[in-house]
Amino acid sequence: MSCCADPAVLANAARALPDTLAAAIRTDASGNHLLLYVPDIHCASCLATVEGALKEEGAEARVNLTRRTVSLDWTSPAFDPLRSIATLRDLGFTPRPLSTESAAAQSSSASLLRAVAVAGFAAMNVMLLSISVWSGADGSTKAFFNWFSALIAMPALAYSARPFLRSAFAALRAGRVNMDVPISLAIVLATGLSLAKTISGTGETYFDAAITLTFFLLLGRLADHWTRERARASVSHLAALRPPFAYVVGATSTEPVPIEDVGAGDIIEVAAGERVPADARVMEDGAQFDLSLATGESRPEAIHRGAEIMAGALALSGPHRLRVLRPAADSYVARLEALQSAAERSRSRPARIADRAAAFYVPVVHFAAFATFCVWLLVGAGWVAALTTAIAVLVITCPCALGLAVPVVHVAACDRLFRRGLAIKDGAALERLRLTDEVIFDKTGTLTIPALADPAAMAPADLAAAAALARHSTHPVSRAVSLAAEEAGVERIVAAGVTELRGRGMTGMIEGRAVFLGRGALPFGDAVAEGLVFAREGEAPIPLAVTESLRPGAADLVARLAAAGLPVTILSGDTAEAVGRTAEALGIADWHAGLTPDEKVSFIDGRRIAGAHPLMVGDGLNDGPAIAAAAASIAPAEASDLSRTAADLVLTGNSLDAVWTALDTAWRAHRMVLQNLAFACLYNCVAVPLAALGHASPLVAAIAMSSSSMVVTLNALRLAR
Amino acid sequence: MSVLLFLVPVALGLGGLGLAAFLWSVKNRQYNDMEGAARRILEGPD
């Protein structure tokens, strides 16, 4: 899209949707649907603003505050989704289209939930009837109850056991066995046998066992699904965080254009807080960018007109216009991304512990059931008795406890981590994390954050006033000021009418006088500040010096890691002097400075080849590849998109303490998984002989299965505390 | 015991009503956004 196209052509170009967006739009009989991820919706009023604005454009908009998404539904061909994306951006939000797959994932959870509801309903009712039979109903009453159980259980099973049957069938067709094969076999055989017995009117039925089994296993499946869905949502959200659009300045307006279509020479607009999508030349003076990508220093830098800036730089002021130098695919970020995906491909993932347990368990169960059948036939029992006993073995060994053992622990662990300010990708990440035997840190932005050099030099009243302004901004330097005020324990005051002066700082009113925190020209008087200052109207500006200080919790964390016997290393792109100072402050002997992203990756690869499982904690864009290469990884919340996408866990709080929480939780979760698996084993050691000898009456089976499921679930819940 | 012929189906029917209500609420996506629902109640009709 060039800036001199005639408006009619431009309008046409806008109608032909870019590929990324077209791929995200789902069309069916009820109209068109688009799911947007809008991470900055966080309150009831944003919710109302977004829905209101989109309604005016002619679409049905529904905000989901839990997932931070907006679903758009429209039927009119006149509706332009690009226009709504631009509208949301004008309101200060950053919408990104989500792929149709993540929209589809939401419906599969609903179908599992329905299956659980049906199975639960049927299980309760069948159990009620079965208890009457066990407690002595006989004759026509027993027949009536059995028939009624069949009537409830069979349709319910046909509906709710489908997830297991389908998966077992698919596995068998592919010539494999999985955990669902013995489950399906047990359900189908128990139901068939019970039906035969109901028709003939002899013996005991196992409808209750079949449906209770299905119910418990579905619960486990739902728990597993929730963990994975939460994880998948965060993964697809993180992937969506890559800016899919550049805002290209056209003849009449600024249009979102997919990054891959932006060519050299296009003029793009970058707002404060956005990343520069492609290597570009700055077209105006006074722009401020965070160039930590290139320098490893997270310090705002003023860029002058005509200077070149690399893709991935974070705009701290704006909006600014930039002229694109080369297509995004050739940019520095694209090269880093290629490096990262190469590292991800080469990372071998250990098989999930549940899969390994299943691989061992399935043949054993089948063999036990088959052996029971043969032995009973050999000792002269009839076909029916032999088959009944064999089915009892299958049902009672059926991995209720095993099917729940791992997912409930993972759900409890993820829940615990979420509540302590850690977002985790998936249950498998816990398994990788617990193998950690050394920890590698990035320095800038991870171990250290910007801080005021000498807060004591400021009068408490000035510090309090500066903090009152700083609390309104998330800029790293603002955070440093408000943190310094908190540490100094100065009085907390409130500034009125605080506004952000893009690229310069914050201004507001305190005690009836205008105040300013920032750099550049003051909004009152005619002074121009050198560096960062705090100023009151009518007084000389007070200079503030910013240095870097340790992130809260860093020293504690390193001490704890050392106490736990985990070696700690620093890999940094910063100078030897700066890294050495940090390493000394933390008591870390092993540090490497001045590394490029490639060198970080090869260092980690070296450690992995040596058999270690390094945990990488890093934030910068240049840490993305290293994070992908490490056995497990953690990124702070304010990390670059690339690092957050690659990391297993994201810290949402400020303190590094959470890294220890993550490791501790992973270790405890692993212990609990082992306990649960051991319990499942023990249970089988008792239950299998009982069933094989023919003592597993329906009552025994029901009690044994329910209690074993309860035990593993309750054990896992200990972790959530 | 013939009262059972009448009572068991009634019990089932009542349970079934509850089940149907739950399935309806799932279908209506009432569990999709628990946090949003909690906030929406605070916003008056605009």
Side-chain angles (χ1 to χ4, degrees):
Chain A
M1 200 177 289
S2 85
C3 51
C4 44
D6 96 85
V9 175
L10 254 180
N12 274 335
R15 293 261 32 93
L17 291 177
D19 289 348
T20 31
L21 191 56
I25 295 177
R26 197 162 43 89
T27 305
D28 60 25
S30 61
N32 303 295
H33 314 279
L34 172 64
L35 197 62
L36 294 174
Y37 176 49
V38 191
D40 17 35
I41 298 181
H42 54 79
C43 63
S45 78
C46 319
L47 194 151
T49 313
V50 168
E51 288 187 352
L54 292 175
K55 236 160 230 155
E56 270 173 35
E57 306 238 326
E60 239 349 278
R62 178 85 187 172
V63 172
N64 186 324
L65 201 57
T66 317
R67 298 170 194 275
R68 308 273 158 98
T69 57
V70 181
S71 63
L72 281 173
D73 305 286
W74 71 94
T75 46
S76 155
F79 176 76
D80 182 359
L82 273 182
R83 192 61 237 137
S84 351
I85 288 175
T87 305
L88 285 182
R89 182 173 177 263
D90 290 344
L91 289 171
F93 298 99
T94 44
R96 302 152 204 263
L98 279 177
S99 64
T100 41
E101 294 101 67
S102 54
Q106 301 189 3
S107 69
S108 95
S109 150
S111 81
L112 257 180
L113 200 57
R114 281 198 296 272
V116 169
V118 170
F121 166 76
M124 280 190 292
N125 286 290
V126 172
M127 194 54 88
L128 212 64
L129 296 169
S130 304
I131 288 173
S132 318
V133 173
W134 300 334
S135 52
D138 55 4
S140 63
T141 315
K142 183 180 171 186
F144 169 66
F145 280 171
N146 278 348
W147 274 110
F148 230 103
S149 300
L151 209 66
I152 303 165
M154 302 218 324
L157 281 171
Y159 178 75
S160 53
R162 281 180 311 169
F164 306 110
L165 299 177
R166 217 181 285 137
S167 146
F169 189 65
L172 287 179
R173 269 233 312 237
R176 298 179 290 111
V177 284
N178 60 9
M179 201 68 125
D180 291 333
V181 173
I183 293 173
S184 304
L185 209 59
I187 293 174
V188 169
L189 286 178
T191 314
L193 183 82
S194 304
L195 185 64
K197 290 192 165 183
T198 305
I199 292 170
S200 68
T202 55
E204 287 165 320
T205 61
Y206 287 88
F207 287 121
D208 62 293
I211 190 78
T212 324
L213 178 71
T214 312
F215 176 61
F216 278 125
L217 287 172
L218 278 172
L219 278 186
R221 196 59 57 102
L222 190 65
D224 194 37
H225 190 87
W226 273 339
T227 329
R228 282 186 203 206
E229 193 183 316
R230 221 169 184 176
R232 190 171 29 209
S234 61
V235 173
S236 67
H237 289 177
L238 289 171
L241 279 178
R242 271 193 60 218
F245 297 112
Y247 292 86
V248 173
V249 181
T252 49
S253 63
T254 305
E255 298 274 349
V257 171
I259 300 261
E260 53 268 36
D261 295 350
V262 176
D266 281 350
I267 295 175
I268 55 172
E269 195 181 275
V270 177
E274 287 181 353
R275 286 196 186 272
V276 178
D279 299 348
R281 190 182 296 284
V282 181
M283 295 174 69
E284 53 202 76
D285 270 331
Q288 280 204 344
F289 286 91
D290 177 345
L291 300 179
S292 53
L293 162 66
T295 58
E297 291 266 330
S298 175
R299 187 170 297 174
E301 266 179 60
I303 308 291
H304 295 291
R305 183 189 181 124
E308 282 186 20
I309 191 160
M310 265 193 284
L314 182 69
L316 297 173
S317 60
H320 294 301
R321 294 194 169 186
L322 312 173
R323 188 180 290 279
V324 175
L325 289 173
R326 55 191 78 89
D330 304 334
S331 70
Y332 182 60
V333 183
R335 212 179 61 71
L336 277 181
E337 274 177 338
L339 195 61
Q340 176 175 327
S341 52
E344 256 163 18
R345 272 196 303 278
S346 69
R347 161 152 79 175
S348 62
R349 308 231 170 221
R352 298 188 59 172
I353 195 164
D355 298 338
R356 276 179 292 159
F360 165 76
Y361 191 80
V362 171
V364 173
V365 169
H366 284 171
F367 176 77
F370 185 69
T372 308
F373 181 71
C374 293
V375 170
W376 277 66
L377 269 190
L378 282 179
V379 299
W383 272 94
V384 177
L387 196 61
T388 310
T389 323
I391 291 172
V393 170
L394 260 187
V395 171
I396 212 161
T397 54
C398 223
C400 243
L402 205 57
L404 285 170
V406 181
V408 287
V409 171
H410 282 173
V411 166
C414 291
D415 204 54
R416 176 188 163 97
L417 291 176
F418 271 108
R419 276 188 289 115
R420 313 240 160 143
L422 282 146
I424 186 167
K425 280 254 183 81
D426 58 8
L430 279 175
E431 287 171 22
R432 292 199 292 278
L433 201 59
R434 68 112 188 149
L435 288 171
T436 299
D437 47 17
E438 61 177 69
V439 184
I440 299 173
F441 288 100
D442 169 50
K443 185 185 75 73
T444 318
T446 307
L447 286 175
T448 64
I449 48 175
L452 281 193
D454 191 10
M458 273 180 98
D462 292 337
L463 189 57
L469 291 175
R471 273 196 294 273
H472 289 268
S473 155
T474 55
H475 191 284
V477 172
S478 297
R479 267 199 297 220
V481 172
S482 47
L483 201 68
E486 264 172 49
E487 277 174 3
V490 297
E491 189 192 356
R492 193 182 171 92
I493 56 176
V494 177
V498 177
T499 49
E500 186 162 1
L501 305 167
R502 293 274 178 192
R504 283 198 287 155
M506 321 282 299
T507 180
M509 303 287 286
I510 290 176
E511 291 158 3
R513 281 160 79 192
V515 287
F516 171 74
L517 174 69
R519 54 186 86 225
L522 268 54
F524 35 78
D526 46 12
V528 174
E530 304 247 335
L532 183 71
V533 297
F534 170 73
R536 282 178 212 270
E537 195 173 5
E539 283 179 24
I542 304 157
L544 304 178
V546 175
T547 173
E548 65 179 3
S549 80
L550 294 180
R551 188 184 271 271
D556 259 6
L557 174 66
V558 172
R560 276 173 153 172
L561 290 175
L566 298 177
V568 177
T569 309
I570 299 180
L571 297 185
S572 177
D574 212 342
T575 60
E577 193 216 338
V579 180
R581 207 166 43 227
T582 307
E584 196 180 339
L586 289 170
I588 298 171
D590 188 13
W591 54 271
H592 306 264
L595 298 181
T596 66
D598 307 66
E599 285 166 348
K600 286 188 180 187
V601 171
S602 52
F603 180 89
I604 288 172
D605 280 345
R607 299 299 306 139
R608 298 211 67 188
I609 289 166
H613 295 92
L615 165 69
M616 173 81 201
V617 186
D619 78 314
L621 210 50
N622 51 355
D623 294 318
I627 276 177
S633 47
I634 301 182
E638 64 275 20
S640 67
D641 303 340
L642 210 60
S643 304
R644 281 193 301 185
T645 320
D648 290 322
L649 286 109
V650 176
L651 307 179
T652 55
N654 202 24
S655 169
L656 273 181
D657 271 347
V659 172
W660 179 257
T661 309
L663 282 171
D664 184 50
T665 306
W667 290 326
R668 288 180 56 183
H670 182 66
R671 273 205 302 279
M672 251 158 219
V673 165
L674 289 186
Q675 281 166 11
N676 277 356
L677 290 178
F679 174 79
C681 249
L682 192 74
Y683 159 78
N684 279 317
C685 292
V686 177
V688 171
L690 214 62
L693 293 174
H695 295 306
S697 68
L699 177 64
V700 172
I703 292 174
M705 283 187 337
S706 312
S707 54
S708 66
S709 305
M710 299 281 257
V711 168
V712 291
T713 308
L714 290 178
N715 187 34
L717 286 183
R718 291 194 301 136
L719 192 62
R721 273 185 302 136
Chain B
M1 276 302 181
S2 61
V3 70
L4 284 178
L5 276 178
F6 170 70
L7 282 181
V8 170
V10 166
L12 265 183
L14 287 176
L17 272 183
L19 177 66
F22 179 74
L23 291 182
W24 171 82
S25 66
V26 171
K27 189 171 178 202
N28 252 307
R29 306 192 206 159
Q30 303 210 1
Y31 300 97
N32 276 15
D33 183 17
M34 308 290 265
E35 198 185 327
R39 302 286 183 101
R40 265 171 218 277
I41 202 168
L42 299 175
E43 288 281 301
D46 35 343

